[in-house]
Amino acid sequence: MTHDFHNNTNSGGPTFGNTPHPSGKEKLSFMDRLRKVKTTRWIRFGIVSAIFFFWVVLMGNAWLALLWFLLADIYITGFVPWGWWKSHKGATRAVMAWVDAIVYALVLIYFVFAFVGQQYEIPSSSLEKTLLVGDRLWVDKATFGARVPQTPIHFPLAQHTLPFFDVKSYIDNPQLKYHRLPGIREIGRGDIVVFNYPQGDTVAVKIPNPDYYQISYDLRNQGITNPLEYIKSHKELFGEVVVRPVDRRENYVKRTIGLPGERIRISNDTIYINGKAIAEPEDVQFNYIVPVNGPIDMEKWLDLGVRAEDAAAGPERNDHAGFAYYNIPLTKKMKAELEKWPEVVGPLQRESESRFYDLGNVFPLGAPYGWTRDNMGEFWIPKRGSTLHLTADNYPIYERAIRTYEGNDLQMRDGKFYINGVETEYYTFKMDYYWMMGDNRDRSADSRYWGFVPEDHVVGEPVFVILSMDADRSLTNGKIRWNRIFKRPNPDGNLE
């Protein structure tokens, strides 16, 4: 950073920018410093100051205005010798030039990733075929309003752990209150959204999936009354138990199905919003039991669009049914093509209808509703400013939102509810909530398993594919999916 100081002395002292910086015997008064600044630099400082204060207003944090004095020193007064290293020669100057460039780049990346957008890689098949494993997306944060970093001191190129060093990439304090800059529009039904995993607040680092709450639930079912102590005492299996702030939790990507204030019900995989069935996404997938007369070549599965991971387990043998079978996720188009194959020896059956697989352990864990992933509800999705009448029946659905996401002390004793020590039957929500699901319905860990997504967990909207790599193929056999690069994910917005 250069400063336009004029100095006719030749003191030989350290320089600031391209001019001698006052040091040693020469001391400039505050007014002298102001008089020596060029008009063009005052203009640049005025423009930067206007942008800076506009940003402070958007951020909603008056304390940030104090940083203006730092800008004033950089542009005008120069009390701090920011460019001291420019007067040196040799290794010092070379090293500091690199440090200066790297720091500048990291600061720029920090602001771009925080307020503009960032890249995100699809790690799982939950949104196939809309988004594919190996897609690298550019996620726009401005559309729904950029979220102010709640953990402001963090390394911008790592979500929660520094690679190679295996240590936290952030400092826990300070933690800022949730605040979001104005967006272009609200989240709509059918929008694909990237968000922080709601149940990622507590993590057993060696077993991130299933999450800590599912692990604890399973341990309780095995008769272990204190799952946390059990997990901590078996670090060789579970690793350390860590607590992560909202914006440092794992990133997930799903499709918005239910909006704040709506009522949702799932009946035989058909989703009803406010009593009306909504359309399925164009490329929605369900798992089918495919009876076959023997193994099917992997290349044939890949050409159909089935991932190697999904086909590798088959064919399994079901002695009771008397046939071998694959369990494969298929779109309607893929199913119609598969039914023509000579290796298929009988009608395809939905996995959920076959009951070969357990469909339980859905949201809310441990509730006595008898729900499964294909039959749930009906229940209300919380909306900011709306008041809920708490009952013993709906308590399991909303207790995590009230207690964990909105930070209240919620207790139920003798059929009565106490919020922050006060007995009440009503609660007014502070945030909007969303119901998110994957298009690969029978292989998606989504709201059916962990419930609502609070608005403060929303990261942004995927807008296009930067690069797409197929892990099942080689470089000479279609590894780079060129037809997907710069393709915009099909939002299937406003599903009705």
Side-chain angles (χ1 to χ4, degrees), residues 121-138:
E121 183 175 5
I122 298 296
S124 70
S125 61
S126 67
L127 270 170
E128 298 238 358
K129 296 300 180 189
T130 304
L131 296 175
L132 306 182
V133 173
D135 281 352
R136 288 187 175 271
L137 307 170
W138 179 255

Side-chain angles (χ1 to χ4, degrees), residues 38-193:
K38 288 182 178 180
T39 302
T40 54
R41 193 161 190 85
W42 277 110
I43 293 172
R44 280 152 47 200
F45 175 60
I47 294 172
V48 169
S49 294
I51 295 172
F52 170 77
F53 283 114
F54 178 68
W55 175 73
V56 170
V57 171
L58 290 179
M59 293 285 285
N61 189 337
W63 287 105
L64 291 173
L66 295 176
L67 293 175
W68 179 83
F69 293 101
L70 181 63
L71 284 178
D73 190 65
I74 292 172
Y75 276 87
I76 303 299
T77 57
F79 285 105
V80 178
W82 303 97
W84 63 268
W85 54 270
K86 294 181 181 179
S87 65
H88 290 259
K89 295 181 180 180
T92 299
R93 183 182 177 93
V95 170
M96 288 306 302
W98 275 103
V99 171
D100 185 71
I102 292 171
V103 170
Y104 179 82
L106 288 176
V107 170
L108 180 62
I109 291 170
Y110 179 96
F111 277 90
V112 169
F113 281 12
F115 301 104
V116 179
Q118 68 185 91
Q119 73 87 28
Y120 171 77
E121 183 175 5
I122 298 296
S124 70
S125 61
S126 67
L127 270 170
E128 298 238 358
K129 296 300 180 189
T130 304
L131 296 175
L132 306 182
V133 173
D135 281 352
R136 288 187 175 271
L137 307 170
W138 179 255
V139 177
D140 167 43
K141 296 186 176 182
T143 298
F144 305 138
R147 179 183 59 183
V148 174
Q150 291 153 283
T151 311
I153 305 177
H154 66 269
F155 189 74
L157 299 176
Q159 177 62 14
H160 51 67
T161 305
L162 283 176
F164 308 114
F165 300 101
D166 196 29
V167 296
K168 290 195 306 185
S169 62
Y170 60 92
I171 297 176
D172 291 285
N173 292 307
Q175 280 289 313
L176 303 181
K177 290 183 178 180
Y178 166 63
H179 178 70
R180 191 175 293 276
L181 274 58
I184 298 172
R185 64 178 180 86
E186 300 288 334
I187 297 174
R189 189 175 353 273
D191 284 338
I192 296 174
V193 175

Side-chain angles (χ1 to χ4, degrees), residues 314-336:
E316 301 177 62
R317 182 75 188 177
N318 185 281
D319 294 328
H320 177 73
F323 59 81
Y325 69 93
Y326 285 86
N327 184 6
I328 300 292
L330 301 168
T331 64
K332 289 180 181 179
K333 184 177 179 180
M334 292 165 64
K335 176 176 178 290

Side-chain angles (χ1 to χ4, degrees), residues 183-207:
I184 298 172
R185 64 178 180 86
E186 300 288 334
I187 297 174
R189 189 175 353 273
D191 284 338
I192 296 174
V193 175
V194 174
F195 54 90
N196 297 117
Y197 182 44
Q199 293 199 165
D201 54 306
T202 306
V203 180
V205 294
K206 284 190 177 181
I207 307 181

